[in-house]
Amino acid sequence: DAGVTQSPTHLIKTRGQQVTLRCSPISGHKSVSWYQQVLGQGPQFIFQYYEKEERGRGNFPDRFSARQFPNYSSELNVNALLLGDSALYLCASSLGPGGYGYTFGSGTRLTVV
Amino acid sequence: AQTVTQSQPEMSVQEAETVTLSCTYDTSESNYYLFWYKQPPSRQMILVIRQEAYKQQNATENRFSVNFQKAAKSFSLKISDSQLGDTAMYFCAFTPYDSNYQLIWGAGTKLIIKP
């Protein structure tokens, strides 16, 4: 069974541009969460979706948005990119929101120049 | 604010030795889950061990075990018979039941296993 799949692996964007990151959860997992990990730090929670509804939002500006599709895959969109948005973006899936423990993808490394 | 503190930025031990990574957390919640995740250079976060706060028995997974002290809000990870493949960043995280289950993370400990 495939794990959590994220695409693209790496990308470079210019300040002010928009980016879309994609995540496919493990088959059967209905919860998807997004985290931002700046180099040298622990991840920071951005969003959680469960059954296609937003269940949680972290302390990120409105430039960050996400959605979950009927097949439970998810997209994270970031508008008006800033240099400070450069980070590793991690997607995690689980059977449901809760303490099952999340399975993470390998992340998308976003560099804003 | 709910926080996680990992006081050891970096540790190194010889292969086959035992090492303990420290983690303390702060929350007013009484029900929560605690986790240790490993992040090797491949970047993927890998779940090492999980503890439910209402369980007094410490979780174990093969060479990995925890010392969970709820009153002290402490959750340390012990790695026995350390192996070269254990070299990675280790993150402590917790999620309160009522937080929409978002994970709150520490800053991580870089663990180096020397041959």
Side-chain angles (χ1 to χ4, degrees), chain B residues 80-95:
Chain B
S80 303
D81 186 27
S82 57
Q83 301 174 359
L84 297 179
D86 295 333
T87 293
M89 285 291 294
Y90 285 80
F91 291 94
C92 177
F94 85 101
T95 180

Side-chain angles (χ1 to χ4, degrees), chain A residues 75-90:
Chain A
E75 286 183 350
L76 175 69
N77 296 286
V78 187
N79 294 321
L81 285 167
L82 304 174
L83 295 179
D85 295 330
S86 294
L88 179 67
Y89 288 84
L90 295 167

Side-chain angles (χ1 to χ4, degrees), chain B residues 16-109:
Chain B
E17 289 184 345
T18 294
V19 60
T20 298
L21 308 183
S22 300
C23 172
T24 58
Y25 57 93
D26 187 24
T27 181
S28 58
E29 303 289 337
S30 57
N31 295 315
Y32 46 87
Y33 298 96
L34 293 152
F35 305 92
W36 277 97
Y37 278 91
K38 165 185 176 181
Q39 188 178 39
S42 66
R43 309 182 321 200
Q44 185 173 12
M45 286 286 187
I46 301 166
L47 178 64
V48 174
I49 200 164
R50 167 182 172 271
Q51 174 82 40
E52 296 175 60
Y54 70 89
K55 290 186 177 179
Q56 293 187 349
Q57 185 174 5
N58 289 322
T60 62
E61 287 288 341
N62 300 313
R63 299 182 295 108
F64 299 88
S65 61
V66 298
N67 183 4
F68 173 48
Q69 302 290 328
K70 190 172 183 180
K73 296 181 183 176
S74 172
F75 184 61
S76 61
L77 174 69
K78 185 172 82 171
I79 305 174
S80 303
D81 186 27
S82 57
Q83 301 174 359
L84 297 179
D86 295 333
T87 293
M89 285 291 294
Y90 285 80
F91 291 94
C92 177
F94 85 101
T95 180
Y97 282 23
D98 297 330
S99 70
N100 289 319
Y101 299 105
Q102 62 170 287
L103 286 166
I104 301 164
W105 300 78
T109 295

